[in-house]
Amino acid sequence: MKKRPSGTVLSVVAGARPNFVKVAPLLRAFDARWPRRVQFINTGQHYDDAMSVAFFRDLGIRRPDVNLGVGSGSHAEQTARLLVGLEETLAKTRPRRVVVVGDVNSTMAAALVAAKLQIPVDHVEAGLRSLDRDMPEEINRLVTDSISDRLFASEPSGVEHLRLEGHDRRKIHLVGNVMIDSLVHALPRALPRRAFARFGVEAKGYGVVTLHRPSNVDSPAGLRRVLVELKRIARRTPLLFPVHPRTASRIEALGISPSPDLRMIAPLGYLDFLSVLREARFVITDSGGVQEETTFLGVPCLTLRTTTERPVTVTEGSNTLVGDDPRVLYPLVLKLGGARRRSRPRPRFWDGRAAERVADILAGLIQPTTSRKARVIG
Ligand code: UD1
Ligand code: UDP
């Protein structure tokens, strides 16, 4: 671990693909305010180059101060390794505050460790609720929010849930969406790449698919049904399907091969993915982040789930929650046709400046006590 000059103000924790997209703007904002006093911990929950290194490169994320290399495992195994590694690191560093993002196991573990070390936790993307406790992410969200000191919400539903759960209003801040900060920052570099052309498709002439939720990919019969429907759609409109490693191993086990028009490809780097997303005719997904990005870009999005924790993408954006029966996809895609995109106002504070708002609020909490020597350790 590198030594920082004068006490760590913040430790920022990330570990999985969507985390990297979310911490990039936060690290930029924090490093500018507290140079060399922000510790960046990569838990290593995701570790393939395509799920990790590619994002550091595309998003200009600096080298982590610590890499815990926790890797994969059952929920218990992975969480246990996260808890041990994070406790060791945070007990040594004793930052003034710990910042966590999103809803993955790394998020929940970091919040738990910090809270037990009596270090205040700041949760960015707080309050999102699918109200479906079969999702591991919903458990992570509930645990993280219940022990966080500051709760930074990306959309109004987040604020509402937190209020209903009895959180102190003064600790809840609607700041906007840090994932959209990254998008706004990267789009000028992403668009000229025209990455779709590499796969032999034309702008607005293809669909994009991403699927990785256990509910869609973990049951062999369910996944087979999804793939049958995707192949049907692909015969009409070619589909680019960058396959998440969880899904890749399930497809391999099924022995299903790509058809010429259902192009199963390796996960794309962030810039290539944005460029592909922007020119897609439609998107089929179960990703949280992709629902938000398509709303910002105005690209029609069909979400293959029964719930969304991001309702603003439906009420104000371009997202449709289609349920979990993949047979509904084909008629919906037909209905979309080549429909022109309606441009709509974007959700409040989805403007590229959410991370700055978080930094402003944290500065108010950190400044008054910078001289307290007892807190400046490490
Ligand atoms: C995790 C998050 C999920 C998030 C998703 C984003 C949890 C509980 N889940 O799901 O909320 O939407 O990341 O992508 O935290 N694997 C690799 N290489 C990697 C990473 C994973 O091969 O770099 C494979 C391993 O076989 C692993 C499986 O993918 O067992 C699942 O990885 P894991 O991090 O446990 O969960 P995700 O499905 O990626
Ligand atoms: N993403 C990417 N390449 C891909 C698929 C997704 O860069 O091949 C990006 C996407 O733009 C978004 C993030 O990964 O920023 C979302 O991650 P994921 O879907 O894995 O997680 P979720 O948001 O569902 O937790």
Side-chain angles (χ1 to χ4, degrees):
M1 199 187 307
K2 273 180 270 157
K3 205 104 185 98
R4 270 162 302 282
S6 55
T8 300
V9 173
L10 297 174
S11 290
V12 178
V13 181
R17 174 166 73 182
N19 284 177
F20 301 134
V21 183
K22 290 166 200 175
V23 295
L26 291 169
L27 284 170
R28 262 199 312 279
F30 297 161
D31 282 337
R33 272 168 215 246
W34 300 286
R36 303 186 61 210
R37 297 186 67 197
V38 177
Q39 179 186 48
F40 173 34
I41 303 171
N42 179 6
T43 67
Q45 176 175 342
H46 284 173
Y47 44 85
D48 287 351
D49 280 2
M51 299 295 287
S52 175
V53 176
F55 288 78
F56 282 72
R57 181 197 61 218
D58 283 3
L59 289 151
I61 302 174
R62 67 170 157 97
R63 274 173 76 88
D65 299 291
V66 181
N67 193 331
L68 297 175
V70 299
S72 308
S74 70
H75 281 273
E77 288 165 342
Q78 188 178 61
T79 306
R81 285 200 293 273
L82 283 161
L83 293 174
V84 172
L86 285 162
E87 185 183 60
E88 204 176 298
T89 305
L90 292 174
K92 240 188 257 164
T93 311
R94 292 228 59 104
R96 299 274 297 278
R97 310 182 70 84
V98 171
V99 178
V100 300
V101 297
D103 56 14
V104 303
N105 284 349
S106 301
T107 312
M108 188 266 292
L112 196 53
V113 166
K116 294 216 173 168
L117 290 171
Q118 299 180 8
I119 303 169
V121 180
D122 303 303
H123 185 204
V124 177
E125 205 182 85
L128 295 184
R129 297 287 182 268
S130 65
L131 305 179
D132 172 4
R133 292 195 183 190
D134 288 344
M135 290 181 76
E137 295 82 4
E138 186 74 353
I139 306 298
N140 291 342
R141 294 178 197 120
L142 287 161
V143 172
T144 304
D145 286 341
S146 70
I147 52 181
S148 288
D149 181 60
R150 292 291 159 152
L151 298 152
F152 296 105
S154 54
E155 61 165 85
S157 78
V159 174
E160 273 164 46
H161 287 296
L162 292 166
R163 285 187 182 162
L164 285 171
E165 288 169 18
H167 289 277
D168 183 339
R169 283 164 180 257
R170 287 165 299 186
K171 298 192 168 185
I172 306 170
H173 307 274
L174 180 65
V175 290
N177 191 326
V178 288
M179 192 159 241
I180 299 302
D181 288 8
S182 274
L183 190 159
V184 168
H185 194 253
L187 208 55
R189 282 177 298 135
L191 292 185
R193 295 169 87 95
R194 300 176 64 80
F196 50 87
R198 291 212 304 269
F199 305 104
V201 292
E202 288 172 8
K204 312 284 187 297
Y206 62 92
V208 172
V209 179
T210 83
L211 295 170
H212 69 275
R213 296 276 159 224
S215 57
N216 280 325
V217 307
D218 278 6
S219 129
L223 179 57
R224 191 180 288 279
R225 273 196 298 277
V226 171
L227 291 170
V228 165
E229 291 306 316
L230 292 180
K231 283 191 177 181
R232 191 146 85 100
I233 295 166
R235 283 197 287 274
R236 231 189 108 80
T237 309
L239 294 178
L240 299 187
F241 183 7
V243 186
H244 186 285
R246 170 189 282 276
T247 313
S249 62
R250 307 293 192 267
I251 293 178
E252 209 176 288
L254 281 181
I256 289 186
S257 51
S259 67
D261 292 320
L262 175 58
R263 294 164 206 189
M264 298 195 211
I265 54 179
L268 291 169
Y270 183 64
L271 294 176
D272 281 348
F273 188 72
L274 278 191
S275 114
V276 158
L277 210 56
R278 170 68 161 66
E279 296 302 339
R281 183 183 293 186
F282 59 86
V283 174
I284 295 170
T285 195
D286 57 14
S287 158
V290 173
Q291 292 174 62
E292 298 179 334
E293 290 162 343
T294 45
T295 274
F296 187 88
L297 296 169
V299 177
C301 178
L302 303 175
T303 295
L304 190 60
R305 288 177 45 187
T306 53
T307 59
T308 180
E309 59 290 327
R310 293 161 160 90
V312 79
T313 62
V314 176
T315 54
E316 294 183 32
S318 57
N319 190 17
T320 307
L321 201 57
V322 307
D324 57 2
D325 182 347
R327 287 172 302 184
V328 302
L329 290 170
Y330 186 80
L332 284 171
V333 166
L334 279 189
K335 227 164 88 183
L336 285 173
R340 282 200 24 208
R341 296 170 187 190
R342 270 195 297 144
S343 70
R344 332 170 192 226
R346 282 155 185 151
R348 183 152 181 242
F349 294 149
W350 289 25
D351 58 0
R353 301 189 47 243
E356 283 297 333
R357 292 187 191 98
V358 174
D360 282 345
I361 293 163
L362 293 185
L365 296 171
I366 287 163
Q367 239 62 54
T369 50
T370 18
S371 59
R372 278 173 55 195
K373 286 220 168 49
R375 305 287 295 177
V376 185
I377 304 170

